[in-house]
Every structure is written in structure tokens, then in C-alpha cells.
């Protein structure tokens, strides 16, 4: 995502190969919030000359931040820049927070989503902007559902099975990826993920409950309105 704030505090976004790049607003700290295996991680981007890019993990039990990765430290390499660096806590506040690629859908439900919203509120300065996207209920019901997909490229084959339960609102994803080796054989890797389906109304209610003003909810990054068949919801909120 390439993002910058307009005069109304709205983050203008565009996708860039799944990577987050923040416009050069100097002396401004941005936070990238993402999820993996049920844990929340935050990358703080201090946009000044030669400033480090830091990652922090949020422990739901202790409700604290500790550093997870420092890609500019000696621990990282060009091929694997996100090796674990030295641990230290996150202090201070930031001016903006971004979460993309339906990361927050990986939370287990509304209680966890409220915890994350409260945490972001604590670390945002007054007037700070929080922008994130979520997969829509339409996508869970119609695109995922119980559908199976096959993705194939040169040297790579992926089988993808979805199982969505409308009662629990949890979708399970089972994938098997086959990667071709030099000798013509294939290496198989199986993976499992799950996401929770949040409604737009639920998300807006939780944002307000946690001290945010809902600036907008869009159906695409171009600001188009939410439609019946919208697959991804783009939220822009401001800390009050």
C-alpha cells in the first residue's frame, strides 16, 4: 500500500504487490498491524533519514508490545530480512496505523477485534488515522463458501479448499502447494488458516466504542461505495 493523508485525515491508498510503503511524511511514525497464527504484530515506520523499520508483537495475555523483527539489524539478510532482532518494548505514540490484506479477519471474534482497536487507540495520537480492510460477508458466503480452487504457475501448483460455517462465521482454508525441484520432483507443503467474518455494522460499532470516529467505509481503494457484491471493505477511522 502506498498511503498518504489528505486534509480530511483520510488515508489515500493504492496496492503495490502486497507491500506497504508510506509516503515520505518526515518525522511521522506509521504502524503496520498484521496477524499471523492468531498473534498481532505491528511494524513502526519512522519516516526519517536512515531510520529503522521495527516490528512489534502484541501479547493478548499481558497486553504489551515487545519487538519481534528488526529487518535493518545485523540479524537480517537480503534473502531473509525479517530475522528476529533484539527485544525491547515499544514506547510512545504514532500518527497513523494501517492494516491490509484482511489481516484482522484472522482474529477469533469480536472480543479480540475490540482488544486490537483499543490497543491501536492507545498508541495513536489524538486525530491519528487508522486504515484497514476486511473481507466482506459476501466474499465469505459466495466466493469462499465451500468452493475449491486450483492455482497453477510454472513450477508451482496450489490446491485450495474453503469451508465456511455460517453459524460460527468461521471460514477454514486448506491449501496444498507443490513446488517443482531441479530434478523434476515436487515438494509438498500443506497449510491451514482460518478467518472470522465481521459485518460492517459490528466493526463500526466497535470502532466507536473504542474511541474512534468512522470517517468512511469504501468498497474499493478508489473510494467507490459498498455494494451488495463488494468483496472487501476499506475502513478509515480517526482517533478522537
Amino acid at each position: 500500500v502506498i498511503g498518504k493523508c489528505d486534509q480530511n485525515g483520510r488515508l489515500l491508498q493504492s496496492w503495490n504487490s502486497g507491500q506497504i510503503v508510506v509516503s515520505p511524511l518526515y518525522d511521522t511514525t506509521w504502524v503496520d498491524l498484521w496477524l499471523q497464527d492468531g498473534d498481532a504484530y505491528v511494524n513502526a515506520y519512522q519516516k526519517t533519514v536512515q531510520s529503522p523499520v521495527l516490528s512489534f508483537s502484541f501479547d493478548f495475555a499481558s497486553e504489551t508490545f515487545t519487538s519481534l523483527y528488526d529487518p535493518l539489524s545485523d540479524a537480517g539478510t537480503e534473502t531473509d530480512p525479517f530475522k528476529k532482532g533484539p527485544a525491547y518494548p515499544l514506547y510512545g505514540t504514532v500518527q497513523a496505523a494501517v492494516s491490509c490484506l484482511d489481516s484482522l479477519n484472522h482474529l477469533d471474534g469480536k472480543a479480540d477485534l475490540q482488544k486490537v482497536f483499543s490497543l491501536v487507540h492507545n498508541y495513536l495520537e489524538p486525530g491519528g488515522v487508522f486504515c484497514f480492510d476486511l473481507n466482506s460477508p459476501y466474499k465469505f458466503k459466495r466466493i469462499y463458501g465451500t468452493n475449491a480452487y486450483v492455482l497453477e504457475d510454472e513450477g508451482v501448483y496450489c490446491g485450495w479448499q474453503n469451508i465456511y460455517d455460517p453459524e460460527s462465521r468461521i471460514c477454514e482454508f486448506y491449501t496444498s502447494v507443490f513446488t517443482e525441484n531441479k530434478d523434476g520432483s515436487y515438494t509438498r507443503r500443506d497449510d491451514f488458516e482460518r478467518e472470522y467474518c465481521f459485518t460492517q455494522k459490528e466493526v463500526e460499532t466497535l470502532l466507536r466504542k473504542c474511541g474512534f470516529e468512522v470517517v468512511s467505509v469504501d468498497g474499493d481503494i478508489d473510494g467507490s461505495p459498498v455494494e451488495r457484491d463488494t468483496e472487501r471493505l476499506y475502513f478509515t477511522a480517526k482517533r478522537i
Side-chain angles (χ1 to χ4, degrees):
V1 175
I2 300 176
K4 62 180 180 179
C5 290
D6 65 12
Q7 59 184 348
N8 296 317
R10 178 194 191 89
L11 187 72
L12 307 178
Q13 305 180 69
S14 63
W15 295 98
N16 179 22
S17 302
Q19 301 295 318
I20 291 181
V21 181
V22 180
S23 61
L25 301 177
Y26 293 100
D27 298 319
T28 299
T29 304
W30 296 67
V31 168
D32 166 29
L33 179 66
W34 56 288
L35 276 290
Q36 179 176 326
D37 299 330
D39 295 325
Y41 300 91
V42 171
N43 296 334
Y45 295 86
Q46 180 70 43
K47 304 309 293 183
T48 53
V49 178
Q50 296 183 351
S51 58
V53 179
L54 307 175
S55 297
F56 294 86
S57 66
F58 175 60
D59 186 338
F60 276 96
S62 62
E63 298 189 0
T64 59
F65 273 124
T66 55
S67 64
L68 181 70
Y69 297 113
D70 183 351
L72 298 187
S73 72
D74 294 336
T77 64
E78 291 184 0
T79 57
D80 186 12
F82 293 103
K83 289 185 177 181
K84 195 162 186 176
Y88 46 87
L90 172 64
Y91 295 107
T93 56
V94 296
Q95 290 79 45
V98 179
S99 176
C100 64
L101 302 177
D102 49 271
S103 291
L104 297 179
N105 283 113
H106 287 270
L107 293 167
D108 287 335
K110 290 182 287 185
D112 280 351
L113 186 62
Q114 182 174 340
K115 286 182 180 179
V116 171
F117 284 172
S118 295
L119 176 74
V120 173
H121 183 273
N122 290 342
Y123 279 89
L124 274 180
E125 295 181 359
V129 180
F130 181 27
C131 299
F132 60 95
D133 69 65
L134 291 167
N135 282 327
S136 69
Y138 172 84
K139 188 172 186 178
F140 279 99
K141 297 173 183 177
R142 302 298 183 187
I143 306 302
Y144 291 149
T146 56
N147 297 319
Y149 298 97
V150 172
L151 307 175
E152 189 172 4
D153 202 350
E154 184 177 355
V156 181
Y157 173 92
C158 175
W160 176 7
Q161 176 66 56
N162 304 291
I163 301 177
Y164 177 63
D165 181 358
E167 292 188 5
S168 67
R169 290 198 279 171
I170 291 176
C171 187
E172 297 180 337
F173 307 94
Y174 298 87
T175 59
S176 295
V177 178
F178 298 83
T179 306
E180 187 176 10
N181 301 311
K182 292 182 178 180
D183 62 0
S185 63
Y186 281 80
T187 299
R188 173 174 175 171
R189 186 188 70 191
D190 296 321
D191 195 13
F192 168 78
E193 298 288 345
R194 54 185 249 162
E195 290 191 358
Y196 186 89
C197 175
F198 299 101
T199 68
Q200 178 179 335
K201 183 177 180 180
E202 288 172 339
V203 176
E204 291 187 33
T205 298
L206 289 176
L207 283 170
R208 294 188 178 100
K209 186 175 182 179
C210 294
F212 287 96
E213 171 194 346
V214 180
V215 177
S216 67
V217 183
D218 300 319
D220 206 338
I221 57 177
D222 60 5
S224 58
V226 176
E227 305 287 354
R228 181 191 62 82
D229 58 350
T230 293
E231 296 184 19
R232 192 180 294 271
L233 304 173
Y234 297 83
F235 293 83
T236 303
K238 183 185 293 186
R239 185 194 190 280
I240 300 174

